[in-house]
Amino acid sequence: MRSIWLEKVIDSVADRGRELLGMRGDPAPSDLENLCNALLTQKGEASGTALAREILRHYQQLSTARKLEFFTLLDSRFGPDKDAIFKAANAFRELGSAQAWLSLSETMEPQRLRLFRRLNTAPDGTRALVGMRADLLSLLGQNPSLEAVDADLKRLFTFWFNRGFLELRRIDWRTSATVLEKLITYESVHEIQSWGDLRRRLEADRRCFAFFHPALADDPLIFVEAALVRGMAATIDPLIDEGAPVLNPHDADSVIFYSINNCLTGLRGVSFGNFLIKQVAMELQREFPAVKLFSTLSPMPGFQRALRDRKIFTDWRLQAMVGSGAPAICAAAGTKDLASALMLLLQEPLRHEDVLTAPLTRLGLAYLVCARRKGKPLDPVAHFHLSNGAQLERINPFANRSPRGLRQSAGVMVNFRYIAQDFEANHEAFARHKKIQLGRALQKDGRSVREAWTSRS
Amino acid sequence: MRSIWLEKVIDSVADRGRELLGMRGDPAPSDLENLCNALLTQKGEASGTALAREILRHYQQLSTARKLEFFTLLDSRFGPDKDAIFKAANAFRELGSAQAWLSLSETMEPQRLRLFRRLNTAPDGTRALVGMRADLLSLLGQNPSLEAVDADLKRLFTFWFNRGFLELRRIDWRTSATVLEKLITYESVHEIQSWGDLRRRLEADRRCFAFFHPALADDPLIFVEAALVRGMAATIDPLIDEGAPVLNPHDADSVIFYSINNCLTGLRGVSFGNFLIKQVAMELQREFPAVKLFSTLSPMPGFQRALRDRKIFTDWRLQAMVGSGAPAICAAAGTKDLASALMLLLQEPLRHEDVLTAPLTRLGLAYLVCARRKGKPLDPVAHFHLSNGAQLERINPFANRSPRGLRQSAGVMVNFRYIAQDFEANHEAFARHKKIQLGRALQKDGRSVREAWTSRS
Amino acid sequence: MRSIWLEKVIDSVADRGRELLGMRGDPAPSDLENLCNALLTQKGEASGTALAREILRHYQQLSTARKLEFFTLLDSRFGPDKDAIFKAANAFRELGSAQAWLSLSETMEPQRLRLFRRLNTAPDGTRALVGMRADLLSLLGQNPSLEAVDADLKRLFTFWFNRGFLELRRIDWRTSATVLEKLITYESVHEIQSWGDLRRRLEADRRCFAFFHPALADDPLIFVEAALVRGMAATIDPLIDEGAPVLNPHDADSVIFYSINNCLTGLRGVSFGNFLIKQVAMELQREFPAVKLFSTLSPMPGFQRALRDRKIFTDWRLQAMVGSGAPAICAAAGTKDLASALMLLLQEPLRHEDVLTAPLTRLGLAYLVCARRKGKPLDPVAHFHLSNGAQLERINPFANRSPRGLRQSAGVMVNFRYIAQDFEANHEAFARHKKIQLGRALQKDGRSVREAWTSRS
Amino acid sequence: MRSIWLEKVIDSVADRGRELLGMRGDPAPSDLENLCNALLTQKGEASGTALAREILRHYQQLSTARKLEFFTLLDSRFGPDKDAIFKAANAFRELGSAQAWLSLSETMEPQRLRLFRRLNTAPDGTRALVGMRADLLSLLGQNPSLEAVDADLKRLFTFWFNRGFLELRRIDWRTSATVLEKLITYESVHEIQSWGDLRRRLEADRRCFAFFHPALADDPLIFVEAALVRGMAATIDPLIDEGAPVLNPHDADSVIFYSINNCLTGLRGVSFGNFLIKQVAMELQREFPAVKLFSTLSPMPGFQRALRDRKIFTDWRLQAMVGSGAPAICAAAGTKDLASALMLLLQEPLRHEDVLTAPLTRLGLAYLVCARRKGKPLDPVAHFHLSNGAQLERINPFANRSPRGLRQSAGVMVNFRYIAQDFEANHEAFARHKKIQLGRALQKDGRSVREAWTSRS
């Protein structure tokens, strides 16, 4: 029940809103400008909260076209004051005083940033602003000038979603259905087929952890799924099979991270994933002291595309990697050209498992280790884990036989291994020297692949 | 129990720390520079969290002198790059592009701001940073150049302690003792004498509400104490008397806010008080629909000082305000000079209650309404409530007979009344035209006092 | 992680267990006797808890046949001492003293009752004992002598599951999946088809409440489902249709209780349903002051069976109830005998809706009001609500067109209405004089039906 | 806000109450009989809950004299039916059937037991009933016939407060003040002087645990205080000294239980203490694996009384125990009679510490080991711990120098040591053979004391 007080405050705000707008109906998107100005000139009071709510409510009812108008407004009318900034920057350069820095800082803050902060005081304001950025991101492609608005929102979120404010929570079958259905919605690496599938992923030998922000209760920001198993998993099927028998987790010696998903588009570029895996590893090490190995089982989403790109996998590189496996591939494909033969077989890889197993393993390794752009691995997943300090431990051919797994990664999956005492060094080596740390069993192949990759260039 | 994993991570960080510092003992404050640099160059990983914790731990062990050195470092080495900023500001002025704005924004962010954000990832990092600013504030007086560092910290807190992230919680006798003892520590308007005193202030006819931030559990940011009573309270004693009988709160018709306190020095200037009173009023209106009046009973902490200031209360103003009460005052003091007589009696006001009651009422009104600097009321409490949209409802002489109440406010207290539908207009009138809204009963006196104040100038 | 302490205690208990049993393997069911004796002679210590856990663990691994042996043991070896009781009862009759009453009370308590109490100290002991009774109930039919054991367990549960210890909790989509899947399992009135179906039943215009016991967290004892609608619902479909549009609950004027289910077989005969509906009605009245009507939409599970029973619905009663509708029924069935015709049409009632609507309404009313055994309504659902103080408000033909609805209730459903101020009187009238309170609209038909029912007897 | 529904139900109950009572005012205690009868004849409905609340409310307003009348009623009108019971017991003896057992069980249940169960459905009913028994216990001395009523209440509580329903909770400074002030109220072994004293007892090197029942939230049933220290504490002062420095608990090797208190008189005889110590020991062993010793530091509350009792400590026993210390005692007292001398010195023991230390140690040992009634140790504290399976580890003279410590225990305190793997055997030996297990260091003295005690008898 709303109190009389609240009603009165809202009425007086609404009255003022109408007065400002000179109208009785819902504000047009450009009319939001007036409401925003009203919010900005207030001292941030209880009525400010009511005003913020009104603005967000109206925003959410706008069509895409009118949202675009609104963002354009934020860009043009509520943006930074170029000349004032220049003047303040100049003064700061000359004086260098604390006072000059203060002035410059204040001048630098565009009106829209203050507006966002005030909108956040509305009930569920944070959620609405994150949604607003998701809208904005979808419009950026066509409207690159709005990137200035996006930069401010992203910067705001970098402050607000600081790791220090996030809470790591375990998600299991006792968790609220409101949260659980978010997992079903957001899991895109290995889709959750049903509530039964979800339940299996939360049994005693599985773990799911997510980061939450206090202002977004029930909305996981990012979650990771892990399996407690014996040995380093080489194929994905047993990990996501709804009917797989449940292992006593205290008998496990390995933790396999098999899926990590961001949930909120509006937080794109505000990263927490690097924290998540390591912190979950800590939690699990605490719970299961017998576990000796922490590793991912990851896709290589750009592998097939790279294989088809003759500038990356040139003919002679293909030849060098496939080596003695080439004749069998050509024979199976009925053509003499290795590249064509390989592309042909990769349309239905499962039918040519014996011929493809060894070549795919070596090609996969080459792809991860050698295929780079400006020194960074082409593969985004590989880049994430390697820059995170993991080492490349094993290439697993025919590890994911699902249509998508075959289409993107030619069925190959990778284990990136996380070793506590090596993070630092690995991360440094990767960040500074682009060096990828290989597990002991891969080192010889790694050298040979690297040599082959560059031998003719 | 700490996990092996955690141990290993910490060891590897510690090793690296020692390596960086070329030493085995605790880092000297200037050595913190190296640790901070290490933290800034990291990608914000689990080991970054460990590093952040180490830095904060060391910071907290520093002496005041060495803390000063540390802040000076933050100012000189981790501050903004004047020339780069100027260049970026110039480019932005010329290009005005989103890209130029992005560049400028990034250039504007001093290293220390990024450092603060990373320190926040340590366990209890937010609390440590708020404490750090409290340290800094105490050093500002002697070291005004550090205000640049303070500006960045304050700005950070403005983002982090956005009203949208605060939680309003009722505090009562069921609350944790950890929180309750904070009330005892921070209540400075009407000090809490004992746990018995505290308990009385949390009985059925009293309410206490506070704002909390999720990262500072158990640490109220600000709290307000209210009494449910019959009629608008005119004296403070019954409200804070440990032995006062407990009223059935459903019989109350008025809510009196009698104390509001900020708790954390480190958050100075990051204001939430204006939200607090109004939101509590809403909560209480919801719980007690029969309540008709919301008002404060506030001190006037600058009243005595102003009375003694002959530039504010000039002789002819004193004369005009005291009017027909002057002879009695002079007689009681045994002197003909009204100012001297008044000052004399105000040394022991309780002994001259009959003579002082009327004059103090009128002088108090004049002080609140007329004594201003640049249009703002001299009295900070009055300024807070009036800019908050309250109206000045009543002046209560001899309302606070405690030594402090007499020393600061000459025993006078004020009722500032909060009326939901008038906030907006009052706030606007005050903010724009410096207009103070008076309650109906004060309007005639208000006019006369205003005339008298300026009649001879 | 189990502590060394706990290990030691358990070891020492296990050692003692083995010693008692003279064996190394798992105890045979009859060996449980020794363990039970051990538990009974202990002073109820920490080791007693360990022992209780062992007994329950072993019990749960027994086959049905061996469980039967165990219950037989409880009957024969741990039952009451007939002679001692007689002696104590005699002494009490003669002395009537408090001391004699104490003696008798203690003598009356069979060993097994004490055993149950001690077993309850095991972790999750209550759940295990409730499960034990479920096992026992399934064996009672073949082993009626075990009813003595059951009587003790039921009595124990009557104490333990006192209404005062139960907690009423709302269940919605934010509730733990562990609890939610129990709804799917236990809903047997209108089965929940899927998680989507469940979700619809927990939307804003639906309510679900359950009683929980602190010792059975996550295990609802009984739950009721209600719909907020406009008008008294006459058919079940809109209430359980997954695709039905969601009403703003504040627009509703009626609450329809459309399903109530007990969850735990082991608590059979320990009733809480009568509390549940009324308390939920209170909660909903508080949340939705605009609601004016509280009613069920209930099945009549014994209706079809009663219709086919010529001793209940004799030929002349059928004739009297169907009245002028008889020719149409006979015509539709192609036979002159009304009873045969009716039975024929009731095999596919949906095909004869026009002919059957009026007769089924009247027959339904007659069934509820007149078909009794020892004064109690034959229909168990009717008996529940009427003895609960509800009034019979309306008969709805073709209200449930599902196969089961047609098979059991011939598609007819009833509204039992709950009116706060009439509970007491209705309950009294029903309990004492077997009087059924009819709603105003039914009173005339009620009289006529009653006359017709008895006219020829 | 109470709902209209609730109001109506209550009104109709109240109406019925008045009708039953033929009156308008509050019921006289004997009138409660009618209300109780009304409650018993109801089917336990929502209105029953309202009725139960009314009865409890009225009960609580009765004077002691009228409460006595009420209990007398419970005894005479709501008690068991002697003849019916005899008949049923006879039938059961003859038939031995399940049916006969059922009949007998039902007949055995007095009306008042059913009444108590129904009263429990009122809000906070359990608390009210526990309070009712506290009232009853205070009346038993003068009214022994009411012991029959008490027996039923106690039996009920034995069911309700089964260990399986209790929750062990740690109490620390984060606990609600509502709970904390109960500690201050109920601590009677070593009184808590102030909130500061309490706080010290909850610091990092102290632990407090309590059992709670779900129906009595915020009301601990029993609590134990423990200190984490180095070595087995020999004096109480350092454990309860508000100013004692706080030890890092991870440096402790011993846990000393120094106080255990029951809180609710109404639960007298319903024991949980034996569970508490052992379970807390388990918790602490888990948290502090380095702890090697669990022991109490206990008073001997009956020691002084026993010393003064010449039938227990006969002259020759005193002589035998004090032995070579006798001359010094007699000299200090200025008398030749050892008993008189000892009694004299014990009036101010602190002044004669050197003379008394050795004799008190030996007398204390004799008191604990030899002073028995029907085989049970005279000392209640000793009896509690020994029957609990602890062993007698050390006698500490001048361990408690407080007035009460000196008055009751002559300043002597005892360490009873809890060793996990010995509970069972110690408990058995004590329960069956009255054997007290002595720690290694006491065994020789134990034998000598036992011999001396019986040498002349």
Side-chain angles (χ1 to χ4, degrees), chain A residues 119-419:
Chain A
L119 288 175
N120 194 52
T121 64
D124 249 342
T126 313
R127 203 184 310 273
L129 287 166
V130 171
M132 194 182 275
R133 180 161 180 247
D135 294 342
L136 177 56
L137 285 171
S138 73
L139 296 166
L140 277 192
Q142 305 288 326
N143 308 275
S145 71
L146 296 182
E147 275 181 25
V149 180
D150 181 56
D152 290 352
L153 262 178
K154 185 182 161 192
R155 204 145 150 277
L156 191 67
F157 293 164
T158 306
F159 279 85
W160 284 353
F161 289 87
N162 185 289
R163 167 66 193 94
F165 301 136
L166 305 189
E167 189 196 348
L168 182 73
R169 278 196 238 152
R170 181 173 166 196
I171 293 178
D172 61 18
W173 194 239
R174 299 194 53 168
T175 303
S176 154
T178 313
V179 172
L180 292 183
E181 75 174 352
K182 303 254 162 71
L183 301 195
I184 298 181
T185 304
Y186 294 121
E187 162 62 279
S188 61
V189 182
H190 303 291
E191 284 179 20
I192 299 173
Q193 306 299 329
S194 65
W195 284 83
D197 183 2
L198 173 60
R199 190 183 173 154
R200 178 62 190 88
R201 299 194 193 193
L202 303 172
E203 286 283 5
D205 61 346
R206 296 287 182 269
R207 284 295 182 278
C208 180
F209 283 87
F211 275 138
F212 288 84
H213 187 276
L216 296 178
D218 295 346
D219 245 325
L221 309 184
I222 186 173
F223 63 93
V224 65
E225 295 166 77
L228 286 144
V229 296
R230 295 197 59 80
M232 185 166 66
T235 58
I236 191 67
D237 263 19
L239 306 188
I240 58 174
D241 175 8
E242 190 178 335
V246 177
L247 181 74
N248 179 337
H250 291 280
D251 292 341
D253 58 12
S254 304
V255 163
I256 308 299
F257 299 105
Y258 66 92
S259 186
I260 181 163
N261 293 276
N262 281 294
C263 302
L264 298 172
T265 313
L267 292 179
R268 191 189 296 162
V270 185
S271 165
F272 344 91
N274 46 357
F275 284 106
L276 183 59
I277 287 190
K278 290 175 195 168
Q279 199 168 343
V280 169
M282 278 188 211
E283 293 289 330
L284 293 179
Q285 185 71 88
R286 198 172 289 144
E287 191 179 354
F288 302 105
V291 163
K292 300 284 174 256
L293 179 140
F294 292 85
S295 164
T296 73
L297 184 62
S298 306
M300 311 196 304
F303 185 38
Q304 276 268 29
R305 204 178 324 120
L307 278 179
R308 289 174 195 287
D309 186 335
R310 283 287 77 77
K311 286 181 202 148
I312 299 170
F313 279 97
T314 58
D315 282 346
W316 56 268
R317 272 180 186 146
L318 274 186
Q319 204 70 52
M321 299 301 159
V322 174
S324 61
I329 288 175
C330 290
T335 164
K336 286 187 176 166
D337 178 50
L338 177 59
S340 313
L342 196 59
M343 294 311 111
L344 203 70
L345 299 198
L346 283 177
Q347 285 173 21
E348 289 180 291
L350 295 182
R351 294 185 53 193
H352 307 283
E353 193 165 344
D354 50 347
V355 176
L356 287 172
T357 296
L360 278 177
T361 308
R362 202 164 149 89
L363 287 164
L365 181 61
Y367 166 66
L368 294 174
V369 172
C370 309
R372 312 215 184 178
R373 181 172 297 131
K374 296 183 192 168
K376 285 165 57 175
L378 274 189
D379 197 83
V381 171
H383 183 259
F384 173 79
H385 292 296
L386 293 171
S387 75
N388 215 353
Q391 74 181 25
L392 178 52
E393 191 74 11
R394 196 171 65 195
I395 312 290
N396 308 285
F398 293 97
N400 182 352
R401 293 156 177 271
S402 75
R404 187 166 60 187
L406 295 170
R407 194 174 61 247
Q408 294 185 341
S409 312
V412 184
M413 299 192 83
V414 204
N415 298 116
F416 294 104
R417 185 171 172 190
Y418 281 81
I419 302 176

Side-chain angles (χ1 to χ4, degrees), chain B residues 161-397:
Chain B
F161 289 88
N162 185 288
R163 168 65 193 95
F165 300 136
L166 305 188
E167 190 196 348
L168 182 73
R169 278 196 239 153
R170 182 176 166 195
I171 292 179
D172 60 18
W173 193 240
R174 297 194 55 168
T175 303
S176 154
T178 312
V179 172
L180 293 182
E181 74 174 353
K182 302 256 162 70
L183 301 194
I184 298 180
T185 304
Y186 293 121
E187 162 62 278
S188 61
V189 181
H190 303 292
E191 283 179 21
I192 300 173
Q193 307 299 329
S194 66
W195 283 83
D197 183 1
L198 173 61
R199 189 180 175 159
R200 178 62 190 89
R201 299 195 192 194
L202 303 173
E203 286 283 5
D205 61 346
R206 295 289 182 269
R207 285 295 182 278
C208 180
F209 283 87
F211 275 137
F212 287 84
H213 187 276
L216 296 177
D218 296 347
D219 244 326
L221 309 184
I222 186 173
F223 63 93
V224 65
E225 295 166 79
L228 286 144
V229 296
R230 295 197 60 78
M232 187 167 65
T235 58
I236 191 66
D237 262 20
L239 306 188
I240 57 172
D241 174 8
E242 191 178 334
V246 177
L247 182 75
N248 179 337
H250 292 279
D251 292 341
D253 59 12
S254 304
V255 163
I256 307 299
F257 300 105
Y258 66 92
S259 186
I260 181 163
N261 292 278
N262 281 295
C263 303
L264 298 173
T265 313
L267 293 179
R268 190 190 295 163
V270 184
S271 165
F272 346 90
N274 45 357
F275 283 105
L276 184 59
I277 286 191
K278 290 175 195 168
Q279 200 168 340
V280 169
M282 279 190 210
E283 292 289 329
L284 294 179
Q285 185 71 90
R286 198 172 288 145
E287 191 179 355
F288 303 105
V291 162
K292 300 285 175 253
L293 179 138
F294 293 85
S295 164
T296 73
L297 184 62
S298 306
M300 311 195 307
F303 185 38
Q304 276 267 33
R305 203 177 326 119
L307 279 179
R308 290 174 194 287
D309 186 336
R310 284 287 78 75
K311 287 181 200 145
I312 299 169
F313 278 97
T314 58
D315 283 346
W316 57 268
R317 274 180 185 145
L318 274 185
Q319 202 71 50
M321 300 300 158
V322 174
S324 63
I329 287 174
C330 291
T335 163
K336 285 186 178 168
D337 178 50
L338 177 60
S340 311
L342 196 60
M343 294 310 111
L344 203 69
L345 299 198
L346 282 177
Q347 283 173 22
E348 288 181 290
L350 295 182
R351 295 185 53 192
H352 308 282
E353 193 165 346
D354 51 348
V355 175
L356 288 172
T357 294
L360 278 178
T361 308
R362 204 166 147 85
L363 286 163
L365 181 61
Y367 166 66
L368 293 174
V369 172
C370 308
R372 311 218 186 177
R373 180 172 298 131
K374 298 183 191 168
K376 284 164 58 174
L378 274 190
D379 197 83
V381 171
H383 183 259
F384 173 79
H385 292 297
L386 294 170
S387 76
N388 216 355
Q391 73 181 26
L392 179 51
E393 192 73 11
R394 196 172 65 196
I395 312 290
N396 307 286

Side-chain angles (χ1 to χ4, degrees), chain C residues 304 307-308 341-349 356 360 410:
Chain C
Q304 276 269 31
L307 278 179
R308 290 172 194 289
L342 195 61
M343 294 310 111
L344 203 68
L345 299 198
L346 282 177
Q347 283 173 21
E348 290 181 289
L356 288 173
L360 278 178

Side-chain angles (χ1 to χ4, degrees), chain A residues 42 44 47 117 162 275 424, chain B residues 42 44 47 117 162 275 424:
Chain A
Q42 284 210 319
S47 47
R117 285 214 308 263
N162 185 289
F275 284 106
E424 274 306 305
Chain B
Q42 284 208 320
S47 47
R117 285 214 309 262
N162 185 288
F275 283 105
E424 272 308 302

